[in-house]
Amino acid sequence: MNGAHAVARTLLNSGVEVCFANPGTSELHFVAALDDEPALRAVPCLFEGVATGAADGYGRMTGRPAAALLHLGPGLSNGLANLHNARRAGTPVVNLVGDHATFHKKYDAPLESDVDALARTVSGWVRRCDDAVGVGTDVAEAVAAATGAPGRVATVLLPADVSWSDGARPAPPVAARPPTAVPEQTVAAVVAALRTGEPAALLLGGAATREPALSIAGRIAAATGARLLCETFPARLERGAGLPAVERLGYLAEGAMAQLGGVQHLVLVGARAPVSFFAHPTLPGLLAPDSCRIHTLATTADDIPAALSDLADTVAADAAAVLQAAVRPPLPTGALTAETAAAVVGALLPDGTIVVDEANTSGLWLPGATAGAPRHDWLTLTGGAIGQGLPLAAGAALACPDRPVLCLEADGSAMYTISALWTHAREGLDITTVIFANGSYAILDMESRRLGMPADGSAHHDLLDLTRPGLDFVALARGMGVPASRATTAENFTARLRQAFAEPGPHLVEAVVPALF
Amino acid sequence: MNGAHAVARTLLNSGVEVCFANPGTSELHFVAALDDEPALRAVPCLFEGVATGAADGYGRMTGRPAAALLHLGPGLSNGLANLHNARRAGTPVVNLVGDHATFHKKYDAPLESDVDALARTVSGWVRRCDDAVGVGTDVAEAVAAATGAPGRVATVLLPADVSWSDGARPAPPVAARPPTAVPEQTVAAVVAALRTGEPAALLLGGAATREPALSIAGRIAAATGARLLCETFPARLERGAGLPAVERLGYLAEGAMAQLGGVQHLVLVGARAPVSFFAHPTLPGLLAPDSCRIHTLATTADDIPAALSDLADTVAADAAAVLQAAVRPPLPTGALTAETAAAVVGALLPDGTIVVDEANTSGLWLPGATAGAPRHDWLTLTGGAIGQGLPLAAGAALACPDRPVLCLEADGSAMYTISALWTHAREGLDITTVIFANGSYAILDMESRRLGMPADGSAHHDLLDLTRPGLDFVALARGMGVPASRATTAENFTARLRQAFAEPGPHLVEAVVPALF
């Protein structure tokens, strides 16, 4: 058996079932191996950032890694931005990066680059395979490294001759590191903090924004009066009617500082102490009040549900969480704006939807409008590298074929990885994409004003304006095989979204909205 | 004056006139500075790979760097693939990468990553700016580092607080390192080799594929009988009627080995000893025959025209170069294929065109069909990182507004950076893009067969096929404001191409051709 076949078989042995792929010549033996392993589903992507973003979406929804097949340093480079988001999300991902044959690297052929250095910038684990004999073990260890708590990006650098050489054998699964048990005294310290009676909040992240941890946190909040907050950009927040409502920290420092004002005890549960997304000349980087004491109950490496359960046993033995009521906004009429569009989404969101949110400024009203919608998952831009939404939606849809996916996408961000729409069509994924077409990088307009700079210069307008010419997302989507339409009023946005939700397969609705800034 | 203003003014002082930009919040002070420096043209790009590829095209045509404005590690990541190509081309490029404020990096905010490591993978020079006082000098030195022989990627990491802090001042230009003079004895050794009477060839690269070096090399070839070869993927090859004809080394090892067969003396002039693009299990990596002696007349760091001139003074004092005759293929009729499409291009190519060639397998007949066309430049995929063509064309068109640009682009490669079309439209660039739509990654089909692997498996088909659904490039181009049409016969390809050449501004023609493999 050659190395490539051993890699494919080992991935299957270890529970990897999907490979998002953008192969080149150095990966062709692996492509041939996939021909013999139909259980390992090969999903073509027209750009590596689609493959890595899809692997992130898949991993967030399953807790298991997909593989991303990439072509040497340049292929990995194109995938790095969405791997950065995956790293920030703590998503398990296994990169297979084909490389020149071991004996060829010394020639510095045109595609040669420092792929090892590139891999280290996003990976929690990197392995360069030396020979076919060891490649099965390399891959099994990669899957374990990716999967254990916390999830991480694991990158296997796979030279072409390792793939084509014989003498390889598949490896059995390697046990992933289990989450760490949180010591009793750590829980006891949090108990003491919550029993002071001083204002407290739990800041949830990682597994704490999902069940079963979320409901336990809700009980603790109900019993102690602590508020339930979560990080600004959670990897996957379960929310909606019947779940405890969690307040996300705001994106702007001044907003988050207001939310945290008066909190005397901030208990971190899979989250880190909140910091400003960007520095601002006159605002602090650390957002909790100076007087606030920060307690870490559990990191993402820890057993978060168990730690919360231990805490609840002491402080919330008989408490019931306060649950979000089922409530939807009425369907709006008239002008389509970010606000009325959010109301339509809230009014129509199907039960069990996976929402991918890269709506940026146009998404301001979305959390409020959907808070009482039927239970759903909310996936956000964890690392700030835009161009995540369309790929993430592809991976989430492949991970959960029985659930609808709603991708809420800003026009500027959509263009980074627009070719993901082709993968939506190719795989027949049940994804409804809404493009919030406000014709600008509006967030930069907002940040300019916030920084006290004039937003009326010609370079400013040239670089932030997307209307000369306008982007026609209906044409772009149809050009990649995705049925598409445009909405310019609340009424026709309602009609288009209803239709998209009712029909299986991918759809795109361009929602023309004014920029907020 | 704040740091951002000093950066902009220093760029202008140093001769940088264009900034291809994809800014974010950390670059907003620089955007504001651009408002005050209208001579520094800000060109918006919807994806960083467009900005860096455009900077490569601009630098190849002018010999001077453009700036590429990128947003932290993820923005640089998205630009890396085309920076890899620029590095291989020896193109001067100055990256301005905004970063978190110096005092904010310790917080590991969501966009934080190892941007320094990323920068080093593609840059010949990297500088992290420490303060506003020094930033002018940093930028002047970056321009000099980029511009000197050989050209390179220079990256400036520009923290937000350096941009917004006062106390900065623009720096005067810094002298770039001049090309190195080639010693007499080096020239003498090549003279001796060429005088053996044994079969010889000059292998041209870097400045040797352009005037004035090219004509001097032609005289040497005529006088000595040495053949004129050039590297497989030259950064910029001047060619056409009235110039010495140069034979490009083939992409496949077996082809290049055949071209080099029998050569006893290979004289490198701005090129390196030829190596196989990829390793192959049964072919050597070094392509010159074992018996061939390799002589380096000049590297890309050397004064190539002077070295050739010195050589010509001895071996070709009175010789005239053999020049390519003016000859065009007849306009074909009937089926549109890669071969007939090439004939149409050869028949119609306007005088002085800049040809950007990322046609891959569909481009097989292009060099032959255009060899005797009016004089033109041919820009190729130097580093093998596909997705270069559309951005490179944008940069070349901005560099040379009085020359037509023809971008010959494969469908698969086009999708990596398709949003470059929007920049074509935004800037009104006179670029005719031909998409060779063969509906597959045909080069991988070819390589699979060459590697002796079956090309009939389902994963193979799933990953190499671009027809389910088909990509409609007419819709995609129109969606970004570029007039577009489709050609399916030689006759209507002729008509479409004629029209595109006749009208100013961007056009796209989708040429539907069968895959070669």
Side-chain angles (χ1 to χ4, degrees), chain B residues 94-161:
Chain B
V94 173
N95 292 316
L96 298 176
V97 183
D99 198 10
H100 281 306
T102 52
F103 55 83
H104 198 69
K105 284 185 78 70
K106 63 178 176 286
Y107 296 126
D108 193 30
L111 275 162
E112 178 67 27
S113 68
D114 191 351
V115 61
D116 305 73
L118 293 167
R120 284 192 296 271
T121 65
V122 290
S123 309
W125 187 98
V126 179
R127 175 78 51 86
R128 172 172 284 282
C129 301
D130 293 324
D131 53 43
V133 173
V135 74
T137 302
D138 292 335
V139 169
E141 291 182 2
V143 177
T147 309
R152 60 182 69 172
V153 176
T155 299
V156 175
L157 303 173
L158 189 60
D161 56 332

Side-chain angles (χ1 to χ4, degrees), chain B residues 209-284:
Chain B
T209 62
R210 304 195 297 272
E211 290 288 73
L214 191 56
S215 286
I216 307 170
R219 289 170 47 217
I220 295 166
T224 65
R227 288 160 58 203
L228 275 191
L229 303 174
C230 82
E231 51 194 3
T232 308
F233 293 109
R236 178 181 165 201
L237 173 63
E238 294 186 30
R239 65 195 294 270
L243 282 172
V246 176
E247 182 185 350
R248 277 171 63 188
L249 278 186
Y251 167 70
L252 294 180
E254 47 273 47
M257 290 168 72
Q259 289 172 285
L260 293 166
V263 173
Q264 290 299 303
H265 297 278
L266 185 64
V267 179
L268 304 179
V269 192
R272 297 188 307 163
V275 301
S276 181
F277 199 87
F278 290 111
H280 185 282
T282 64
L283 293 171

Side-chain angles (χ1 to χ4, degrees), chain B residues 443-482:
Chain B
I443 198 163
L444 298 183
D445 245 334
M446 182 271 286
E447 293 276 15
S448 281
R449 288 167 214 271
R450 182 168 166 256
L451 287 162
M453 292 190 294
D456 53 4
S458 64
H460 181 95
H461 282 298
D462 281 347
L463 294 180
L464 274 54
D465 175 78
L466 303 177
T467 66
R468 293 174 282 148
L471 291 160
D472 179 345
F473 284 93
V474 176
L476 293 172
R478 290 180 182 164
M480 288 180 272
V482 171

Side-chain angles (χ1 to χ4, degrees), chain A residues 149-210:
Chain A
R152 60 181 70 172
V153 176
T155 299
V156 176
L157 303 173
L158 189 61
D161 57 330
V162 172
S163 286
W164 76 50
S165 294
D166 283 330
R169 44 194 289 183
V174 169
R177 59 194 178 286
T180 309
V182 170
E184 277 179 33
Q185 59 270 38
T186 301
V187 177
V190 174
V191 169
L194 293 178
R195 284 186 170 163
T196 59
E198 297 168 340
L202 306 184
L203 182 63
L204 310 182
T209 62
R210 304 195 298 270

Side-chain angles (χ1 to χ4, degrees), chain B residues 11 14-18 55-67 91-94 143 146-147 399:
Chain B
L11 288 171
S14 303
V16 177
E17 298 172 350
V18 176
D56 186 9
Y58 182 95
R60 290 195 200 185
M61 293 309 301
T62 63
R64 289 180 292 115
T91 307
V93 172
V94 173
V143 177
T147 309

